[in-house]
Structures are given as structure tokens and as C-alpha cells.
Amino acid sequence: MGNSNAADRVVQDLRVLAGTAAPGTRLPSVRELTVRHQASPVTVAAAIRQLVVEGLVETRSGRGTFVAARPGPAAAPDLSWQTVALGPRRFGEEEMQALLALPPSGAIPLSGGYLDADLQPAAALGAALARAARQPAAWQRGPAEGREDLRAWFAREAGGGLRADDMVICPGGQAALSSTLRALTGPGDTLLVESPTYLGALAAAHAAGLRAVPVPADHDGVRPDQLAAAFARTGARLFYCQPLFANPTGATLSPARRPEVLAAVQDAGAFLIEDDYARDLAIDGDPPAPLASADPHGHVIHLRSLTKSAAPGLRVAGLGARGPAGARLRAARLLDDFFVSGPLQQATVEFVTSPAWGRHRRGLRAELGNRRAALLGALRRHLPGLVPPVIPRGGLHLWVRLPDGADDVAVASAAAAAGVIVFPGRAWHAAEPPGPFLRLTYAATGAETMDEAVQRLRRVLL
């Protein structure tokens, strides 16, 4: 206690002297300060070091301690040159930032793509990660493609001919998608996408220098005849698809269309990126098997992330492909990140192979159903014209059409000012949108707040 008080006295004494004396002024010596404050030389030296770190004093070997030079007012930096050096801004960057922005205090979020904190299995994940972190082997470098047991789990979940050796572990679905586009295409190539489609896919395509061409889709998913025509017209060799609870529409590729879509891809000698982000987000009934399970010849590249169905911090995804395409993907991932954190991989495989995973999925299904029902009920009471004609059987979102002539961006901006966060629809289209839409997320807030959220939206629209 005495040493602490003495050190504080020395620091305050020197701070006052340094603040009133001119730069370069010699300050009392260690011996003088020792006598003045009845402190040990060690204590005085520690106080001087603290002020050196703060930039108030400087020591000169063999000469003593002096007041440090005070920097003059810095000129405002001129960063305007960067505008020329950087060139035009990339498509989708501003929209992605808005999509991932945290809602302001007091606002009700009907946007975003992650589960509300109340729906996340944080305790189970935390316990698994704590156990993994205590094991020294988890911190060592493992296989660049990821743990074999985790790759095997993703392969079993995908079904079909995929094996552990065909999989690579990635730090989330967006990283997996970006790597896939760069590995299998070159700048100027064409990427076919559903219309509308995931905003992050469009942003990744533009970042890779690709031309995104929309293919019409409806409540039963992408239209096979239009997909075949798009392949023939563009010569594309890659099609990005979310066949299960597509983001943003919630559509699921119908049983009748599944073989027709696979046939169109096979006839074109092309690849289909199956983004299976919503595998664990079913509400009504069980979801169909992944398209990869019906792909004997390696046309489907299967991508499954656990981030949407568990927690934003669980940045773990499995990416699988067979043959030379799989080899290219594994090489691309190595160049991008080397490998995913070992403790995170170990915690993930422990979690998804434990009873906690099944309990989480069952609880999540029930709660998502409650929240979807609450949002639909609020829309029917206050904005019946916005109720979708077909209700998605799972996923996180409702895709609602605004009245003709409405400006979706203006509506979203006004809604934010009114305290409810929604996302405008035009950014989800690779070309001109057929009308004004909003994406409303029911997983980001509780059922008890849905009515108030829709009432706030109603005041903007009416």
C-alpha cells in the first residue's frame, strides 16, 4: 500500500512539472525524488517509466530525466488520393454492411440473417469449446482440409457419394462460397442465379468479376425450363442455388423439379452450387434430402453452414465436391485461410454428435414456428395485403410484396426511423426487380414483439 501511494506521489509530482516546464527542461533526479517522496529508487524508476510510456518525459542515458517535446497540432490528413487509387466501389458492399449492422437501441429487428440470442445453444457450445480449449492437441496444426471426423459428419449429412476426403472445412458459408466462385471460374465468366437470390452470393460474384444472370423462380423453386435456356444462351458452367427454404423467398425446390434441374445441369456439363444453409431450419415436416444425395456424377457442389442454425460465432461450414473440382476447392481454401481454428472444429464435432444438437434442433423448430405464426398473425391483423400467398415451411424469412408504386428502399428507411428494421428487396435481384418487396425476418425477435413491429410498419405504409 505504501509503495503504491509513493509511486502515485512521484507520478503526480512529475506530471505537474512536465506540464508547466518547457520541453527539454531537466527534471529532479531519482535521488532527489527518493528523498522528497520517501520512496525507494525502484518505485521512482517505475513512475518515470510510466510517464515515458505516456510521452510526457524522456530519459537520456547518464544525464537524467527531461520534459519530452510536445507534438504540435497535426495537419488534417488528406486521404482524397485513395478515391482515385481504389476506383469504383464494388457492388453489394453497402448492402452487406447494412444487412449485418446491429439494430439501434429500441428498434425491433425484422431483418438480419441470424438467430436471436435466445434461440442459440450458447451454453452447450460454450461448454464444448471450453473442453476443447483445455486440450493442447486442439491448438496444434491439423489437416489443412479440416478434422476428418468433422468432414465425415458433413459428408454423411449430405448423403450420396460424398466422403470425408471430398470435404473441406471452411470458416462459414460466405467464405466457402467466395472460394468456390474463385476456384471454378475466372473474371468475366457467367454465374446463373435464382431470381431473387441471396445477396451475399451476388456480392461474392461481383467481387470475383463474374456476370450474374438471373433465372426465374417461383414458389416451387427455380424453373427447370428457364434454367436450361439460360445455360444454352449464356454458355455458363456454374449455377448457384438454394433448393431448401431459399433466402429471401423461403421457396423449396419441388420434388417434380429436382430431377429436371439436375438434368439441366448435367446436360450443360455444368456445376450446381447447393447452398444448404437452412438444413436445420425446418418448421413443417422434414426437409427433402440434399440434391447432392441424388448426384452420381459430381455435378453438385454441396455447401452446408452451421452458423445460421446455431450461432453467428460458430463460423464452421463443410464444402464438398468430387473429382478435380474437389481438388481445386481444397487448394483454394488452403490459399485463403490455411485452416480453420482447431478448438472451434473440435467443439463443433463434439456438439453436433451429442444429444444437445438434437435437443437444440427440436427446440428451434418449435420456437421458429411460434415466431413465424406471430409475424403472420400480426400481418393478417394490421397489413393483410402483405401476407405471402404461400407460406414457407421453414427458414428464417417471409418475402412480402409491397403495393405497386411503393419504393422499397424508402419504406425500409422510414420504417427504421419508426423503430422497426426491415430490408428492402431490390438488392436481392441480379437484374431489375419485378416489383417492390421487403424481407421480414421472424427469427431475430421474440413472438411477443411481432405485433408492435408490424404496427410500426403499418404507420409507415398507410
Side-chain angles (χ1 to χ4, degrees), residues 38-356:
Q38 298 182 341
S40 71
V42 173
T43 299
V44 172
I48 292 173
R49 285 196 300 272
Q50 177 181 332
L51 294 175
V52 168
V53 171
E54 294 179 12
L56 295 178
V57 306
E58 61 183 16
T59 59
R60 301 174 187 175
S61 180
R63 297 180 58 191
T65 305
F66 298 82
V67 177
R70 299 184 183 94
D78 181 8
L79 304 179
S80 61
W81 65 270
Q82 294 188 4
T83 301
V84 177
L86 291 172
R89 185 170 182 157
R90 290 176 176 173
F91 169 90
E93 289 180 348
E94 185 175 347
E95 290 82 1
M96 289 294 290
Q97 290 171 355
L99 188 64
L100 295 175
L102 296 175
S105 177
I108 302 175
L110 290 184
S111 186
Y114 300 107
L115 298 178
D116 185 10
D118 293 342
L119 303 182
Q120 299 169 21
L125 287 173
L129 186 58
R131 289 189 292 270
R134 289 193 296 267
Q135 300 182 29
W139 294 96
Q140 303 306 310
R141 185 183 71 180
E145 62 272 19
R147 290 176 59 107
E148 183 176 6
D149 50 2
L150 185 55
R151 289 185 284 117
W153 182 85
F154 276 112
R156 288 194 301 272
E157 291 282 305
L162 288 172
R163 300 291 181 263
D165 289 344
D166 301 316
M167 308 297 299
V168 60
I169 303 302
C170 308
Q174 188 68 25
L177 176 57
S178 296
S179 293
T180 301
L181 296 182
R182 290 196 305 273
L184 302 185
T185 64
D189 286 353
T190 296
L191 173 70
L192 302 183
V193 298
E194 298 166 290
S195 183
T197 193
Y198 170 47
L199 169 59
L202 295 176
H206 284 276
L210 306 182
R211 183 172 68 103
V213 173
V215 181
D218 55 28
H219 304 303
D220 289 325
V222 68
R223 292 178 50 183
D225 58 334
Q226 295 291 337
L227 178 62
F231 274 126
R233 184 177 68 255
T234 65
R237 291 295 177 264
L238 195 60
F239 169 48
Y240 171 78
C241 180
Q242 290 183 329
L244 181 63
F245 312 139
N247 179 10
T249 64
T252 293
L253 189 62
S254 69
R257 289 186 180 180
R258 287 165 61 94
E260 296 178 359
V261 167
L262 289 173
V265 174
Q266 182 173 339
D267 291 345
F271 293 100
L272 183 154
I273 302 174
E274 178 183 23
D275 186 348
D276 205 17
Y277 86 99
R279 176 61 41 187
D280 309 303
L281 302 176
I283 298 175
D284 304 322
D286 295 326
L291 290 177
S293 65
D295 170 46
H297 303 301
H299 289 274
V300 176
I301 296 165
H302 185 72
L303 191 171
R304 178 169 176 193
S305 171
L306 298 175
T307 303
K308 300 290 189 184
S309 55
L314 191 64
R315 305 299 301 172
V316 172
L319 178 65
R322 288 182 288 158
R328 287 200 183 186
L329 293 178
R330 292 187 289 275
R333 289 303 314 152
L334 180 63
L335 290 174
D336 284 346
D337 300 302
F338 284 2
F339 46 82
V340 176
S341 162
L344 191 58
Q345 289 191 62
Q346 183 168 330
T348 300
V349 75
E350 178 181 325
F351 175 60
V352 297
T353 57
S354 73

Side-chain angles (χ1 to χ4, degrees), residues 434-451:
F437 290 85
L438 295 178
R439 193 192 71 166
L440 305 182
T441 301
Y442 48 80
T445 192
E448 68 280 359
T449 60
M450 294 294 185
D451 195 82

Side-chain angles (χ1 to χ4, degrees), residues 6-33:
D8 290 342
R9 290 197 301 272
V10 175
V11 167
Q12 292 305 318
D13 187 12
L14 290 177
R15 199 187 299 278
V16 170
L17 292 172
T20 56
T25 301
R26 190 179 188 279
L27 296 170
S29 67
V30 172
R31 178 174 296 180
E32 291 176 88
L33 292 169

